[in-house]
Structure formats: C-alpha cells, structure tokens
Amino acid sequence: MAGRRARTGRGWDASPSRTGDATGTPPQPRRGRRARPAEPESGETPAPPRDEAEVAREICLRQLATRPRTRAELAGALARRGISEEVAEQVLDRYDEVGLVDDAAFARAWVSSRHTGRGLARRALANELRQRGVDGEVAGAALDGLDEETEAETARVLVERKLRTARGEPDAVFRRLVGMLARKGYPAGVAIRAVKDALAAQSAEAAEFAEHIDADALADAETDLDPRRLD
C-alpha cells in the first residue's frame, strides 16, 4: 500500500539508507561522521620549548633520587637523553659546586659499603669504581682506608662463614674457598692463608691436609688467581 512503511524482520524501519529507494538501489550501511580535529581557541599560542638546562637538571635529580651517582654516570645519562655536552658541563659544574656531585665522597661510601656488605677486596673495589668513572687518584685515596690487615681479617671471616656449610674432601673445599676469595678480589697469598688457617681449625682430617699446604709457594705460583681454574 502506497505510503505504508515497509516491515522488516525487526519491526518498522523506513530509513532509505537501510531499505533502499524506489529505484531498487540496495541498502547502504550507515557511516558515522568523522570527528574534526579541535581547533585552537582564538589567541591561543603553543607552549614555548623547555630550556635545555632545566631538562638536564631534572634528569640529574631523578638519577640522584635513587642513589648517589658519579659525575661520569650523570654525564652518560644526559648524553643518552640528547643533552648537549656544553649544557651538561654547565649543569654538572654547578652540581659540583653545591655538593650534589662529589666523586671522592661517593668512592669512600662505595668502598665502605661494598667491603662491609659483600666482603670485596681492594682489587674488586677498584674495578667497580673504574667502571663508574671515578678517577684513579680519587679511587686510590678511598681505598687507602682498606689496609692489608683489614683485608686479611675480612677474608678470614668469609672463609669461616662458608666453611660451616662446606661439604666434600678437604682438597676440594680448599680450592672452592680460595676461588671464592679470588672472585672477591683477594690476593693469592691472603686467600690461601685464610683458607689454610680455617681448615687447620676445623677437624683432624682438614688440619692434616692443611699442614701440607705451603702457602708461600702456592701464592708465588698463583700470583694472579684465576677463579675459573679453582672451582
């Protein structure tokens, strides 16, 4: 009937876009309108670019918030973020002046913390400081507080602690413990003597084995201990 809307399976819908028109054109799917990008309000101007030095300071402060950093570590962080060398030098010089960056203080704190907490010896600590960009003279001054007597005492404590749970024949235990000290940077003589003395006090069997250890001869033969050969 003319003027009556066509009925679909879902109800009445006279929209031409779904039912087609009188010419028989098939129905077309509905299309949503494309959103137009928002236009800036009249008189609004884009924000000016941020000052490079300000960005550099923020990067440094975020780095220092997690732990103390050396000047070299901060310089590396700034370079990775695209800060120019000139601006980086200016910011780091200022941080030096106010004491936010102090490689000497960093080195002293690092040596104290890593020796006390991990039992690391001078050689291992010197390597860690070098990796963090600390100058050799600055690192040497920090390591001066760690003398040979302190190193020997720390080595003895480390060996006694490990020996409580060590299993195996005395010769195998001996090599494992010497290797452990070598990985922590202890000189051959210090490591061998510490392990020999600890074994001598452990048991009769270990003491008998220790009696045949010539610490001086072994130290001369193993001047540069290779931990891979001692495991």
Side-chain angles (χ1 to χ4, degrees):
M1 181 181 294
R4 180 177 297 179
R5 293 175 296 178
R7 183 173 183 176
T8 66
R10 296 182 181 179
W12 298 101
D13 190 348
S15 172
S17 63
R18 296 183 63 85
T19 60
D21 53 24
T23 63
T25 302
Q28 302 295 317
R30 293 179 179 178
R31 296 180 180 179
R33 293 183 178 180
R34 181 175 299 176
R36 294 182 179 179
E39 297 182 359
E41 297 181 3
S42 177
E44 183 179 351
T45 57
R50 297 182 64 192
D51 180 64
E52 188 180 11
E54 179 185 354
V55 176
R57 287 191 290 270
E58 290 184 1
I59 294 171
C60 289
L61 290 175
R62 285 197 296 269
Q63 290 284 312
L64 292 169
T66 56
R67 68 165 175 82
R69 307 275 179 172
T70 65
R71 182 181 177 112
E73 287 179 315
L74 292 177
L78 293 175
R80 289 191 295 272
R81 294 292 298 275
I83 302 299
S84 67
E85 185 176 348
E86 180 181 359
V87 171
E89 287 291 326
Q90 293 173 356
V91 171
L92 293 176
D93 285 346
R94 178 56 181 164
Y95 278 21
D96 278 336
E97 293 175 5
V98 299
L100 287 176
V101 178
D102 187 339
D103 281 6
F106 175 92
R108 290 192 298 270
W110 187 271
V111 168
S112 176
S113 173
R114 299 286 283 176
H115 179 74
T116 302
R118 296 285 304 279
L120 299 185
R122 290 172 57 93
R123 184 169 60 186
L125 291 168
N127 184 54
E128 290 188 341
L129 291 175
R130 182 169 57 253
Q131 291 175 350
R132 282 155 182 79
V134 177
D135 178 78
E137 292 186 5
V138 174
L143 291 167
D144 282 344
L146 184 58
D147 55 28
E148 294 181 1
E149 183 178 349
T150 303
E151 270 196 335
E153 175 62 19
T154 304
R156 182 188 64 80
V157 172
L158 289 171
V159 170
E160 289 180 352
R161 186 184 304 160
K162 289 289 186 180
L163 200 55
R164 298 189 191 113
T165 57
R167 298 291 182 270
E169 296 298 320
D171 60 337
V173 173
F174 172 79
R175 297 185 70 81
R176 285 203 303 271
L177 294 179
V178 171
M180 178 267 293
L181 292 178
R183 287 188 292 274
K184 291 181 178 293
Y186 287 88
V190 173
I192 292 169
R193 290 186 185 90
V195 178
K196 176 181 178 178
D197 292 345
L199 287 174
Q202 184 192 36
S203 66
E205 182 184 7
E208 182 179 358
F209 171 80
E211 284 183 4
H212 296 87
I213 297 175
D214 188 336
D216 292 332
L218 280 177
D220 290 339
E222 303 283 359
T223 301
D224 294 316
L225 287 176
D226 184 350
R228 293 170 297 181
R229 295 193 295 111
L230 293 166
D231 288 337

